[in-house]
Amino acid sequence: MSSKGKVCLAYSGGLDTSVILAWLLEQGYEVIAFMADIGQEEDFEAARAKALKIGASKYVLVDVRREFVEELCFPAIQANAIYENVYLLGTSLARPVIARAQIKVAQQEGCFAVTHGCTGKGNDQVRFELSFYALQPDIKCITPWRLPEFFNRFAGRSALLAYAAEKGIPVQQTAAKPWSTDENLAHISFEAGILEDPDTTPPKDMWKLTVDPLDAPDKPETFTVVFEKGIPVKLIYEDGKEVTDPVDVFLTANAIARRNGVGRIDIVENRFIGLKSRGCYETPGLTLLRSAHVDLEGLVLDREVRAIRDQFVTTTFSRQLYNGMYFTPECEYVRSMIPPSQKNVNGQVRCSVYKGNLIILGRSSATEKLYDANESSMDEIGDFEPTDASGFIAVQAIRLKKYGRAKHENGEAY
């Protein structure tokens, strides 16, 4: 038994966490290498062999794909979660289920501490550690990239590579692709390296999940998403094929979006810790499912319910996810507000994708009672009395007339 005790490392198989694994062993810790299968395209067997070769006493792989989809991605779709109007929170959504799985492994293996490879400038250190402490308040967290004895020793990539060579750690040379990535079933992120210049256009070969829209098929592809209480329960595609299992629905949406170049964004965002960061993201299936959900809500959701949900639940839940506040009383409270807003979000949305674009072809619902084609028609009066609009406008205009008079009396102009 190691003199310093046993720790559970969130291991990726990459350079940083491989060096951290060797460094922890050098410091006298016994290390359990934990990996979460959250849908990333990864050679898990190679990662296992690498971790054990470096010296981990055990490698544990946990499949969290289903809970990721059902517990995080689907509620995010129901809430139309989005950060700063563009980012669909692909990385943020994954952190709660990874942290929960890591704590469970740490408990099962008798670890006194957990550790990770997050940098001291990013959001993930906050997301993981706040989750750890909420899930197991007495857990210890070892944070190499915030320890002077570590970051002074490994001041740059060359120092990491030199240490890896010294320890016989196999690494993939990535000089040709100088950026870092993080992938899960919902998306992949690209940041750092050449992308730190916000005016540098990402090279074409950076994008991994989606085909270049210019190279996408010349024929549109159609599909239909069926929702029950705001959750996508069925996807119909390729002339009648259907999938209903939650993970299969998500994977099928991914496949459709990927081959048609849908889901790319390139943004500068505000990190929770106060820095701005440039990130490029591919979020194929989630883009399709969320967009279809937004469209269906226009048909079936009450105006005031939607306004309150948009103004409070959507923005607050999105910020909580981004900031790593999932396992908090306030997030639990906000999540409880999502299902009531979705009880009438039932129906289907017909869609088409073409060269990076998502086009809504139509929507319908067997249960909605809010939209009345006759009432809304410009070709017939129906039950709506046009003269009622005169009183409506007159009442709305009362305060505006007062405001206009006051501005006029003060010599102000619009």
Side-chain angles (χ1 to χ4, degrees), residues 36 68 298 362 377:
F68 176 49
S377 175

Side-chain angles (χ1 to χ4, degrees), residues 52-70:
L52 296 177
K53 182 178 184 297
I54 294 170
S57 61
K58 189 174 183 179
Y59 168 88
V60 181
L61 175 66
V62 181
D63 187 343
V64 296
R65 290 174 297 173
R66 183 165 299 277
E67 60 196 90
F68 176 49
V69 170
E70 296 179 348

Side-chain angles (χ1 to χ4, degrees), residues 220-241:
E221 180 175 355
T222 61
F223 62 96
T224 299
V225 186
V226 180
F227 291 90
E228 290 182 6
K229 297 182 178 179
I231 294 174
V233 296
K234 182 190 295 185
L235 198 152
I236 307 166
Y237 66 110
E238 292 183 0
D239 298 323
K241 292 182 182 178

Side-chain angles (χ1 to χ4, degrees), residues 154-333:
F154 302 106
R157 180 170 175 78
S158 60
L160 292 169
L161 290 169
Y163 183 80
E166 175 191 335
K167 296 293 184 179
I169 300 171
V171 297
Q172 290 183 331
Q173 297 297 323
T174 59
K177 295 186 176 182
W179 49 75
S180 63
T181 65
D182 182 81
E183 183 181 358
N184 59 51
L185 189 146
H187 94 152
I188 187 171
S189 64
F190 307 89
E191 60 183 13
I194 63 170
L195 300 176
E196 290 177 351
D197 178 353
D199 199 31
T200 294
T201 302
K204 183 174 181 176
D205 66 348
M206 180 195 76
W207 305 100
K208 177 185 177 184
L209 300 183
T210 57
V211 67
D212 188 313
L214 296 176
D215 299 328
D218 293 326
K219 180 181 179 181
E221 180 175 355
T222 61
F223 62 96
T224 299
V225 186
V226 180
F227 291 90
E228 290 182 6
K229 297 182 178 179
I231 294 174
V233 296
K234 182 190 295 185
L235 198 152
I236 307 166
Y237 66 110
E238 292 183 0
D239 298 323
K241 292 182 182 178
E242 296 183 358
V243 287
T244 57
D245 176 80
V247 175
D248 290 340
V249 167
F250 214 96
L251 290 172
T252 304
N254 270 345
I256 293 170
R258 290 177 67 166
R259 61 179 171 253
N260 288 281
V262 174
R264 294 183 178 186
I265 62 169
D266 178 351
I267 64 172
V268 176
E269 68 200 66
N270 290 294
R271 287 179 174 171
F272 185 31
I273 62 170
L275 302 175
K276 285 187 178 290
S277 172
R278 193 268 189 93
C280 299
Y281 302 102
E282 292 177 276
T283 315
L286 187 56
T287 297
L288 297 190
L289 297 174
R290 180 186 179 277
S291 297
H293 176 265
V294 170
D295 182 82
L296 181 61
E297 284 192 331
L299 178 69
V300 302
L301 196 57
D302 176 81
R303 181 185 72 178
E304 296 304 316
V305 171
R306 185 173 190 173
I308 293 170
R309 193 282 314 278
D310 288 351
Q311 292 165 17
F312 179 72
V313 177
T314 298
T315 55
T316 305
F317 185 47
S318 300
R319 188 173 63 252
Q320 290 168 339
L321 287 168
Y322 188 83
N323 293 348
M325 299 292 179
Y326 186 82
F327 296 108
T328 61
E330 63 271 25
C331 189
E332 184 176 329
Y333 171 58

